[in-house]
Protein backbone atom coordinates (compact mmCIF):
# COMPACT_ATOMS: atom_id res chain seq x y z
CA UNK A 1 0.00 0.00 0.00
CA UNK A 2 1.21 3.51 -0.77
CA UNK A 3 2.46 5.51 2.22
CA UNK A 4 0.36 8.44 3.41
CA UNK A 5 2.45 11.53 4.11
CA UNK A 6 1.00 14.25 6.34
CA UNK A 7 2.49 17.72 6.77
CA UNK A 8 1.32 19.01 10.15
CA UNK A 9 1.27 22.46 11.73
CA UNK A 10 0.85 23.43 15.40
CA UNK A 11 0.61 27.01 16.74
CA UNK A 12 -1.93 26.74 19.59
CA UNK A 13 0.23 28.33 22.30
CA UNK A 14 3.89 29.34 22.38
CA UNK A 15 5.48 26.74 20.10
CA UNK A 16 5.62 27.22 16.33
CA UNK A 17 5.89 23.69 15.02
CA UNK A 18 5.73 21.68 11.80
CA UNK A 19 6.36 18.00 11.08
CA UNK A 20 6.21 15.37 8.37
CA UNK A 21 4.66 12.09 9.53
CA UNK A 22 4.24 8.90 7.49
CA UNK A 23 1.28 6.58 8.13
CA UNK A 24 0.54 8.22 11.47
CA UNK A 25 3.41 6.53 13.27
CA UNK A 26 6.71 7.39 11.63
CA UNK A 27 8.11 10.88 12.21
CA UNK A 28 10.34 11.95 9.35
CA UNK A 29 10.87 15.47 10.65
CA UNK A 30 9.66 17.38 13.69
CA UNK A 31 10.65 21.04 13.97
CA UNK A 32 9.73 23.01 17.09
CA UNK A 33 10.55 26.66 17.53
CA UNK A 34 9.88 27.46 21.18
CA UNK A 35 9.07 31.00 22.29
CA UNK A 36 9.63 30.17 25.97
CA UNK A 37 12.61 32.51 26.31
CA UNK A 38 10.55 35.39 24.94
CA UNK A 39 7.64 34.80 27.37
CA UNK A 40 9.81 33.98 30.39
CA UNK A 41 10.36 37.60 31.27
CA UNK A 42 6.57 38.12 31.51
CA UNK A 43 6.10 35.08 33.79
CA UNK A 44 3.70 33.43 31.34
CA UNK A 45 2.56 33.38 27.72
CA UNK A 46 1.47 36.77 26.35
CA UNK A 47 -1.09 35.97 23.61
CA UNK A 48 -0.33 38.95 21.34
CA UNK A 49 3.39 38.30 21.48
CA UNK A 50 2.80 34.60 20.74
CA UNK A 51 0.75 35.38 17.60
CA UNK A 52 3.33 37.82 16.30
CA UNK A 53 6.14 35.32 16.74
CA UNK A 54 4.14 32.58 15.02
CA UNK A 55 3.67 34.89 12.02
CA UNK A 56 7.40 35.53 11.91
CA UNK A 57 8.43 31.88 12.17
CA UNK A 58 5.74 29.73 10.56
CA UNK A 59 7.03 29.79 7.02
CA UNK A 60 10.61 29.01 8.04
CA UNK A 61 9.49 26.17 10.34
CA UNK A 62 7.35 24.52 7.63
CA UNK A 63 10.18 24.82 5.07
CA UNK A 64 12.59 23.29 7.56
CA UNK A 65 10.24 20.36 8.23
CA UNK A 66 10.09 19.57 4.51
CA UNK A 67 13.82 20.09 4.04
CA UNK A 68 14.69 17.77 6.94
CA UNK A 69 12.30 15.17 5.51
CA UNK A 70 13.95 15.61 2.09
CA UNK A 71 10.52 16.16 0.58
CA UNK A 72 8.69 18.81 -1.37
CA UNK A 73 5.05 19.92 -1.19
CA UNK A 74 4.36 17.48 -4.03
CA UNK A 75 5.10 14.51 -1.74
CA UNK A 76 2.44 15.53 0.78
CA UNK A 77 -0.99 13.83 0.83
CA UNK A 78 -2.67 16.14 3.33
CA UNK A 79 -2.11 19.15 5.57
CA UNK A 80 -3.10 18.73 9.21
CA UNK A 81 -3.45 21.73 11.49
CA UNK A 82 -4.43 22.37 15.10
CA UNK A 83 -7.61 24.49 15.11
CA UNK A 84 -8.33 24.34 18.88
CA UNK A 85 -8.28 24.47 21.80
CA UNK A 86 -5.72 27.18 22.42
CA UNK A 87 -5.09 30.91 22.11
CA UNK A 88 -7.30 32.13 19.29
CA UNK A 89 -4.78 34.55 17.78
CA UNK A 90 -2.04 31.93 17.91
CA UNK A 91 -4.25 29.20 16.40
CA UNK A 92 -5.30 31.52 13.58
CA UNK A 93 -1.72 31.80 12.31
CA UNK A 94 -1.42 28.03 11.81
CA UNK A 95 -4.95 27.68 10.46
CA UNK A 96 -4.51 30.49 7.91
CA UNK A 97 -1.15 29.13 6.79
CA UNK A 98 -2.52 25.59 6.42
CA UNK A 99 -5.55 26.88 4.51
CA UNK A 100 -3.38 28.78 2.06
CA UNK A 101 -1.19 25.70 1.50
CA UNK A 102 -4.21 23.42 1.02
CA UNK A 103 -5.71 25.88 -1.47
CA UNK A 104 -2.55 26.46 -3.49
CA UNK A 105 -1.50 22.83 -3.54
CA UNK A 106 -5.05 21.47 -3.89
CA UNK A 107 -4.51 19.00 -1.03
CA UNK A 108 -6.94 17.99 1.75
CA UNK A 109 -7.02 20.19 4.83
CA UNK A 110 -7.30 18.15 8.04
CA UNK A 111 -8.52 19.95 11.19
CA UNK A 112 -7.02 18.47 14.37
CA UNK A 113 -7.92 18.92 18.04
CA UNK A 114 -4.82 19.74 20.09
CA UNK A 115 -5.78 17.38 22.95
CA UNK A 116 -6.33 14.57 20.45
CA UNK A 117 -2.84 15.31 19.18
CA UNK A 118 -1.37 14.90 22.68
CA UNK A 119 -3.05 11.49 22.98
CA UNK A 120 -1.82 10.42 19.51
CA UNK A 121 1.81 11.15 20.46
CA UNK A 122 1.56 7.70 22.02
CA UNK A 123 0.96 6.08 18.61
CA UNK A 124 4.37 7.41 17.57
CA UNK A 125 6.29 6.28 20.65
CA UNK A 126 4.47 2.98 21.08
CA UNK A 127 4.02 1.30 17.67
CA UNK A 128 2.06 -1.59 19.20
CA UNK A 129 -0.54 0.67 20.80
CA UNK A 130 -4.09 0.28 19.53
CA UNK A 131 -7.41 1.39 21.03
CA UNK A 132 -9.19 0.81 23.30
CA UNK A 133 -7.18 2.31 26.15
CA UNK A 134 -7.26 5.00 28.85
CA UNK A 135 -5.33 8.21 28.21
CA UNK A 136 -4.51 10.68 30.97
CA UNK A 137 -4.08 14.10 29.38
CA UNK A 138 -2.18 16.42 31.71
CA UNK A 139 -1.05 19.70 30.21
CA UNK A 140 -0.89 23.40 31.01
CA UNK A 141 -4.54 23.85 30.04
CA UNK A 142 -6.12 20.39 30.37
CA UNK A 143 -6.55 17.54 32.79
CA UNK A 144 -8.74 14.84 31.26
CA UNK A 145 -9.16 11.12 31.82
CA UNK A 146 -10.14 9.89 28.36
CA UNK A 147 -11.49 6.55 27.20
CA UNK A 148 -10.03 6.14 23.70
CA UNK A 149 -12.61 3.77 22.24
CA UNK A 150 -11.23 3.71 18.72
CA UNK A 151 -9.09 5.92 16.46
CA UNK A 152 -10.71 9.36 16.71
CA UNK A 153 -13.44 8.18 19.11
CA UNK A 154 -13.15 9.61 22.61
CA UNK A 155 -15.16 9.76 25.80
CA UNK A 156 -14.02 12.13 28.54
CA UNK A 157 -14.53 10.26 31.84
CA UNK A 158 -13.32 12.99 34.16
CA UNK A 159 -11.71 16.40 34.12
CA UNK A 160 -10.54 19.19 36.37
CA UNK A 161 -13.17 21.41 37.91
CA UNK A 162 -10.73 24.30 38.34
CA UNK A 163 -6.99 24.51 37.58
CA UNK A 164 -5.30 22.19 35.12
CA UNK A 165 -2.50 20.06 36.58
CA UNK A 166 0.19 22.01 34.69
CA UNK A 167 -1.35 25.28 35.83
CA UNK A 168 -1.05 24.11 39.45
CA UNK A 169 2.62 23.22 38.88
CA UNK A 170 3.26 26.61 37.27
CA UNK A 171 1.46 28.57 40.02
CA UNK A 172 3.21 26.73 42.85
CA UNK A 173 6.54 27.23 41.08
CA UNK A 174 5.83 30.94 40.84
CA UNK A 175 5.03 31.16 44.56
CA UNK A 176 8.40 29.51 45.21
CA UNK A 177 10.04 32.09 42.94
CA UNK A 178 11.09 29.47 40.41
CA UNK A 179 10.06 31.23 37.17
CA UNK A 180 8.22 29.98 34.09
CA UNK A 181 7.38 27.29 33.06
CA UNK A 182 7.47 25.90 36.57
CA UNK A 183 6.61 22.23 35.99
CA UNK A 184 10.09 21.11 34.92
CA UNK A 185 11.68 23.05 37.80
CA UNK A 186 9.36 21.55 40.43
CA UNK A 187 10.15 18.13 38.96
CA UNK A 188 13.89 18.72 39.25
CA UNK A 189 13.73 20.08 42.81
CA UNK A 190 11.35 17.29 43.88
CA UNK A 191 13.98 14.72 42.96
CA UNK A 192 16.21 15.95 45.79
CA UNK A 193 13.41 16.74 48.27
CA UNK A 194 11.49 14.72 50.84
CA UNK A 195 7.99 13.95 49.54
CA UNK A 196 6.78 13.12 53.06
CA UNK A 197 8.01 16.39 54.60
CA UNK A 198 4.70 18.30 54.37
CA UNK A 199 1.29 16.67 54.38
CA UNK A 200 -0.56 18.58 51.63
CA UNK A 201 -4.19 17.53 51.03
CA UNK A 202 -5.10 14.81 48.51
CA UNK A 203 -8.33 15.97 46.90
CA UNK A 204 -10.37 13.00 45.69
CA UNK A 205 -13.80 14.74 45.56
CA UNK A 206 -16.92 12.54 45.79
CA UNK A 207 -16.55 8.77 46.01
CA UNK A 208 -16.27 7.26 42.49
CA UNK A 209 -15.79 10.70 40.89
CA UNK A 210 -13.16 10.81 38.15
CA UNK A 211 -12.98 14.62 38.26
CA UNK A 212 -10.09 16.58 39.73
CA UNK A 213 -9.62 19.78 41.71
CA UNK A 214 -6.19 21.35 42.07
CA UNK A 215 -7.03 24.82 43.37
CA UNK A 216 -7.13 23.55 47.00
CA UNK A 217 -3.61 22.16 46.96
CA UNK A 218 -2.31 25.32 45.33
CA UNK A 219 -3.85 27.37 48.20
CA UNK A 220 -2.50 24.88 50.76
CA UNK A 221 1.02 25.46 49.45
CA UNK A 222 0.54 29.25 49.58
CA UNK A 223 -0.79 29.04 53.16
CA UNK A 224 2.15 26.86 54.18
CA UNK A 225 4.64 29.35 52.70
CA UNK A 226 2.90 32.29 54.44
CA UNK A 227 2.84 30.51 57.80
CA UNK A 228 6.51 29.61 57.60
CA UNK A 229 7.35 33.22 56.74
CA UNK A 230 5.20 34.62 59.56
CA UNK A 231 6.80 32.28 62.08
CA UNK A 232 10.25 33.04 60.71
CA UNK A 233 10.72 29.35 59.98
CA UNK A 234 12.84 28.13 57.06
CA UNK A 235 11.28 27.06 53.76
CA UNK A 236 13.00 24.06 52.22
CA UNK A 237 12.10 24.53 48.56
CA UNK A 238 12.88 20.98 47.50
CA UNK A 239 10.68 19.54 50.28
CA UNK A 240 7.78 21.82 49.31
CA UNK A 241 8.21 20.82 45.65
CA UNK A 242 8.43 17.10 46.45
CA UNK A 243 5.47 17.13 48.86
CA UNK A 244 3.27 19.16 46.48
CA UNK A 245 4.16 16.96 43.51
CA UNK A 246 3.46 13.78 45.50
CA UNK A 247 0.00 15.01 46.55
CA UNK A 248 -0.88 15.73 42.90
CA UNK A 249 0.53 12.59 41.29
CA UNK A 250 -0.99 10.26 43.90
CA UNK A 251 -4.50 11.52 43.12
CA UNK A 252 -3.96 11.37 39.35
CA UNK A 253 -2.58 7.82 39.34
CA UNK A 254 -5.26 6.52 41.74
CA UNK A 255 -8.13 7.92 39.64
CA UNK A 256 -6.74 6.82 36.28
CA UNK A 257 -6.12 3.26 37.47
CA UNK A 258 -9.64 3.19 38.96
CA UNK A 259 -11.04 4.29 35.57
CA UNK A 260 -9.14 1.53 33.74
CA UNK A 261 -10.34 -1.09 36.21
CA UNK A 262 -13.94 0.17 36.05
CA UNK A 263 -13.95 -0.31 32.27
CA UNK A 264 -11.79 -3.47 32.33
CA UNK A 265 -9.18 -1.79 30.12
CA UNK A 266 -5.61 -3.03 30.40
CA UNK A 267 -3.69 -0.15 28.81
CA UNK A 268 -2.95 3.30 30.25
CA UNK A 269 -1.01 6.04 28.47
CA UNK A 270 0.01 9.53 29.56
CA UNK A 271 -0.15 12.62 27.35
CA UNK A 272 0.61 16.35 27.57
CA UNK A 273 3.40 18.42 29.07
CA UNK A 274 2.96 17.16 32.65
CA UNK A 275 3.36 13.58 31.35
CA UNK A 276 7.07 14.49 31.33
CA UNK A 277 6.96 14.59 35.15
CA UNK A 278 9.18 11.91 36.64
CA UNK A 279 7.17 11.74 39.88
CA UNK A 280 3.98 11.04 37.94
CA UNK A 281 5.60 8.28 35.92
CA UNK A 282 7.07 6.67 39.05
CA UNK A 283 3.79 6.85 40.95
CA UNK A 284 1.97 5.04 38.13
CA UNK A 285 4.65 2.36 38.04
CA UNK A 286 4.37 1.92 41.82
CA UNK A 287 0.57 1.73 41.92
CA UNK A 288 0.48 -0.64 38.93
CA UNK A 289 2.83 -3.19 40.52
CA UNK A 290 1.19 -6.60 40.45
CA UNK A 291 -1.62 -5.44 38.15
CA UNK A 292 -1.91 -6.62 34.54
CA UNK A 293 -2.23 -3.14 33.09
CA UNK A 294 0.43 -1.87 30.68
CA UNK A 295 1.63 1.70 31.09
CA UNK A 296 3.45 3.89 28.58
CA UNK A 297 4.19 7.51 27.77
CA UNK A 298 5.92 9.43 25.00
CA UNK A 299 9.48 10.77 25.26
CA UNK A 300 9.64 14.33 26.62
CA UNK A 301 9.88 16.02 23.21
CA UNK A 302 6.58 14.37 22.21
CA UNK A 303 4.88 15.18 25.57
CA UNK A 304 5.25 18.94 25.25
CA UNK A 305 3.69 20.78 22.31
CA UNK A 306 4.92 19.61 18.89
CA UNK A 307 3.54 19.05 15.41
CA UNK A 308 4.41 15.34 15.03
CA UNK A 309 1.52 14.45 17.36
CA UNK A 310 -0.80 16.55 15.16
CA UNK A 311 0.47 14.61 12.12
CA UNK A 312 -0.38 11.32 13.82
CA UNK A 313 -3.92 12.43 14.73
CA UNK A 314 -4.26 13.94 11.25
CA UNK A 315 -3.41 10.63 9.60
CA UNK A 316 -6.33 8.84 11.31
CA UNK A 317 -8.63 11.73 10.37
CA UNK A 318 -7.32 11.45 6.80
CA UNK A 319 -8.27 7.76 6.73
CA UNK A 320 -11.80 8.62 7.84
CA UNK A 321 -12.00 11.55 5.34
CA UNK A 322 -12.43 14.09 8.11
CA UNK A 323 -11.54 17.13 6.04
CA UNK A 324 -12.34 20.83 6.31
CA UNK A 325 -13.00 23.35 3.57
CA UNK A 326 -11.54 26.85 3.47
CA UNK A 327 -14.11 28.13 5.95
CA UNK A 328 -12.08 26.43 8.73
CA UNK A 329 -11.70 28.75 11.69
CA UNK A 330 -9.85 28.60 15.01
CA UNK A 331 -12.00 27.41 17.94
CA UNK A 332 -10.30 28.40 21.17
CA UNK A 333 -12.53 26.27 23.44
CA UNK A 334 -12.84 23.22 21.18
CA UNK A 335 -13.90 20.10 23.13
CA UNK A 336 -12.39 16.67 22.68
CA UNK A 337 -14.59 14.53 20.44
CA UNK A 338 -16.32 17.59 18.98
CA UNK A 339 -15.94 17.41 15.18
CA UNK A 340 -17.03 20.73 13.76
CA UNK A 341 -15.82 20.24 10.22
CA UNK A 342 -16.77 17.02 8.51
CA UNK A 343 -16.67 17.29 4.81
CA UNK A 344 -16.40 14.02 2.91
CA UNK A 345 -14.96 15.26 -0.35
O1 LIG B 1 1.23 20.21 26.79
P1 LIG B 1 2.00 21.45 27.06
O2 LIG B 1 3.37 21.59 26.45
O3 LIG B 1 1.20 22.71 26.65
C1 LIG B 1 -0.21 22.77 26.77
O4 LIG B 1 -0.90 22.29 25.86
O5 LIG B 1 -0.65 23.26 27.85
O6 LIG B 1 2.10 21.55 28.66
C2 LIG B 1 2.77 22.59 29.30
C3 LIG B 1 2.68 22.34 30.79
C4 LIG B 1 3.22 23.48 31.63
O7 LIG B 1 2.29 23.77 32.63
C5 LIG B 1 4.53 22.92 32.22
O8 LIG B 1 4.86 23.47 33.47
C6 LIG B 1 4.16 21.45 32.34
O9 LIG B 1 3.43 21.17 31.15
N1 LIG B 1 5.35 20.58 32.41
C7 LIG B 1 5.65 19.84 33.50
C8 LIG B 1 6.87 19.18 33.21
N2 LIG B 1 7.26 19.52 31.94
C9 LIG B 1 6.30 20.38 31.47
N3 LIG B 1 5.01 19.70 34.66
C10 LIG B 1 5.57 18.89 35.58
N4 LIG B 1 6.72 18.23 35.38
C11 LIG B 1 7.41 18.34 34.23
N5 LIG B 1 8.55 17.67 34.05
ZN1 LIG C 1 -0.42 21.04 24.61
Amino acid sequence: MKDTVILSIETSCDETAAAVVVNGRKVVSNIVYSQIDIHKKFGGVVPEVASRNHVEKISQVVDEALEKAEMTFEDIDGIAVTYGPGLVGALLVGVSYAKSLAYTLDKPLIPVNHIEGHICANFISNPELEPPFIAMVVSGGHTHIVHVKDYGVYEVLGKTRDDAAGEAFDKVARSLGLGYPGGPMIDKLAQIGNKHAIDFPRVFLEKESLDFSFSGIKSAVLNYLNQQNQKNLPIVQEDVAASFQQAVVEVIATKVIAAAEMLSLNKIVLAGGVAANSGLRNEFKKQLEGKSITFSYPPIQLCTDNAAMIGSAGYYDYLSCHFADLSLNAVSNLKLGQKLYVNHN
Side-chain angles (χ1 to χ4, degrees), residues 12-44:
S12 68
C13 191
D14 59 345
E15 264 88 26
T16 318
V20 175
V21 178
V22 175
N23 298 335
R25 304 254 178 179
K26 191 174 160 224
V27 180
V28 198
S29 66
N30 187 21
I31 309 295
V32 181
Y33 165 73
S34 174
Q35 304 175 4
I36 281 188
D37 285 342
I38 298 168
H39 297 281
K40 239 179 201 161
K41 50 182 171 292
F42 303 106

Side-chain angles (χ1 to χ4, degrees), residues 9-280:
I9 295 173
E10 154 67 42
T11 62
S12 68
C13 191
D14 59 345
E15 264 88 26
T16 318
V20 175
V21 178
V22 175
N23 298 335
R25 304 254 178 179
K26 191 174 160 224
V27 180
V28 198
S29 66
N30 187 21
I31 309 295
V32 181
Y33 165 73
S34 174
Q35 304 175 4
I36 281 188
D37 285 342
I38 298 168
H39 297 281
K40 239 179 201 161
K41 50 182 171 292
F42 303 106
V45 177
V46 182
E48 276 300 311
V49 176
S51 314
R52 219 170 309 141
N53 276 278
H54 286 313
V55 172
E56 267 174 35
K57 284 284 169 187
I58 182 85
S59 175
Q60 179 191 329
V61 166
V62 169
D63 288 351
E64 246 179 76
L66 283 172
E67 214 170 281
K68 184 99 187 285
E70 296 181 357
M71 288 187 190
T72 67
F73 284 122
E74 291 314 307
D75 301 309
I76 303 299
D77 294 295
I79 295 143
V81 64
T82 307
Y83 75 114
L87 302 170
V88 72
L91 288 163
L92 271 171
V93 178
V95 167
S96 314
Y97 200 82
K99 282 195 325 193
S100 61
L101 281 181
Y103 176 69
T104 347
L105 304 168
D106 194 23
K107 309 259 180 189
L109 176 66
I110 310 160
V112 175
N113 180 309
H114 181 78
I115 306 172
E116 179 176 19
H118 274 304
I119 295 172
C120 291
N122 283 280
F123 292 136
I124 298 169
S125 55
N126 182 353
E128 316 289 299
L129 181 68
E130 295 208 17
F133 57 85
I134 293 281
M136 179 69 220
V137 184
V138 266
S139 72
H142 307 277
T143 308
H144 288 3
I145 303 181
V146 182
H147 177 189
V148 182
K149 296 179 170 177
D150 201 345
Y151 291 104
V153 185
Y154 307 98
E155 186 188 353
V156 177
L157 302 172
K159 55 179 190 281
T160 182
R161 293 185 186 167
D162 39 57
D163 292 348
E167 208 177 338
F169 271 90
D170 292 339
K171 286 178 178 169
V172 165
R174 192 178 309 165
S175 65
L176 286 169
L178 296 177
Y180 173 86
M185 283 183 264
I186 296 260
D187 191 357
K188 211 165 149 205
L189 271 184
Q191 288 172 32
I192 51 166
N194 173 6
K195 61 186 180 190
H196 305 295
I198 308 147
D199 189 20
F200 289 128
R202 274 71 172 153
V203 182
F204 283 96
L205 301 170
E206 308 83 35
K207 200 167 176 282
E208 313 252 308
S209 170
L210 294 177
D211 280 350
F212 298 95
S213 169
F214 295 115
S215 63
I217 175 137
K218 180 194 64 192
S219 309
V221 174
L222 284 177
N223 288 342
Y224 171 83
L225 296 176
N226 285 338
Q227 277 169 18
Q228 294 298 99
N229 280 332
Q230 274 164 9
K231 293 181 197 158
N232 267 330
L233 291 171
I235 291 168
V236 184
Q237 279 198 333
E238 51 269 37
D239 286 352
V240 178
S243 303
F244 157 75
Q245 180 173 290
Q246 185 58 23
V248 170
V249 302
E250 251 178 63
V251 174
I252 294 177
T254 306
K255 287 196 182 241
V256 174
I257 295 168
E261 289 179 332
M262 237 150 64
L263 294 169
S264 303
L265 293 170
N266 62 0
K267 284 174 255 177
I268 292 174
V269 307
L270 296 182
V274 186
N277 185 267
S278 56
L280 183 64

